[in-house]
Amino acid sequence: QVQLVESGGGLAQAGGSLRLSCAASGRSLNSIAMGWFRQAPGKEREVVATISWSGGYTYYADSVKGRFTISRDNAKNTVYLQMNSLKPEDTAVYYCAAGSSPAFLRPDRYDYWGQGAQVTVSS
């Protein structure tokens, strides 16, 4: 079992930055792929970024490419999402998730989920 807890959400102005953290407990994150997803009101949950257990493979949705950076520190059992140049359309609840492959982009392929962190970007 893996328990995931997100932190770092909040309110930012357009063009600003926020960093989300996802702390894992229950077992080591070694050999586990991680992903960040988001869900805006009335919309389906969508992938934002994924990362392999080693950090050597990352994936970014086109909408965040060049603005967001996913990283991980396995020694701290923590995954991060650095969000720069934020836009109002980035407003959503952000979830971290753990799964077996960073190539999986569908939420139903991930086994464990955090409770979510609200990110609100004002124009």
Side-chain angles (χ1 to χ4, degrees), residues 4-13 16-23 34-41 43-50 60-65 67-70 79-98 107 112-122:
L4 304 172
V5 178
E6 300 96 338
S7 61
L11 178 64
Q13 290 188 332
S17 299
L18 286 172
R19 188 175 83 154
L20 299 178
S21 298
C22 174
M34 298 296 296
W36 284 98
F37 292 76
R38 67 186 181 186
Q39 187 166 17
K43 295 188 176 181
E44 293 187 351
R45 192 169 297 189
E46 62 177 6
V47 65
V48 175
T50 69
Y60 295 94
D62 287 344
S63 58
V64 306
K65 203 172 292 184
R67 301 188 298 121
F68 290 11
T69 302
I70 188 172
V79 179
Y80 305 96
L81 185 69
Q82 178 66 43
M83 304 183 292
N84 298 328
S85 301
L86 284 163
K87 303 176 180 180
E89 51 263 44
D90 294 320
T91 296
V93 177
Y94 283 71
Y95 299 89
C96 69
Y112 303 100
W113 291 85
Q115 82 288 352
Q118 177 70 48
V119 171
T120 303
V121 183
S122 62

